[in-house]
Amino acid sequence: HLNTQVANLISMFLALKDQKANEVMKLLAMYSVYFLPITFIAGVYGMNFEFMPELHHPYAYFFTLGFMLLIVIITFIYFQRKKW
């Protein structure tokens, strides 16, 4: 009887520990979803291509920053609706 209780307590402890680890992984995945598209856009613009037509547009920098901000806002709204 005592062995069963000890085994159940150990199982419960391990399940709680796994649940906490899953919450941490979920949080890290959410952060990566925020920064992955922004990092991609910054990487493309950091390559210094000569023939990028948008580079010659006077407001291309602000459009790019606005697009990055829009991605973050849309991702935030998506996560809010999913209740994450």
Side-chain angles (χ1 to χ4, degrees), residues 38 41 45 59-71:
I38 295 171
I41 294 169
Y45 276 87
Y59 300 108
Y61 178 73
F62 299 109
F63 288 146
T64 304
L65 287 178
F67 185 62
M68 289 178 179
L69 182 63
L70 182 67
I71 289 172

Side-chain angles (χ1 to χ4, degrees), residues 24-56:
V24 170
M25 292 302 290
K26 182 178 173 181
L27 183 66
L28 292 174
M30 285 172 52
Y31 283 138
S32 68
V33 167
Y34 276 116
F35 289 108
L36 183 67
I38 295 171
T39 304
F40 175 73
I41 294 169
V44 168
Y45 276 87
M47 290 184 193
N48 297 323
F49 288 119
E50 186 176 340
F51 301 107
M52 290 178 77
E54 62 271 11
L55 292 180
H56 302 292

Side-chain angles (χ1 to χ4, degrees), residues 26 30 34 72-84:
K26 182 178 173 181
M30 285 172 52
Y34 276 116
V72 170
I73 290 170
I74 289 172
T75 306
F76 180 76
I77 291 170
Y78 175 76
F79 284 144
Q80 287 293 323
R81 289 191 178 169
K82 289 284 189 178
K83 300 208 188 303
W84 286 359

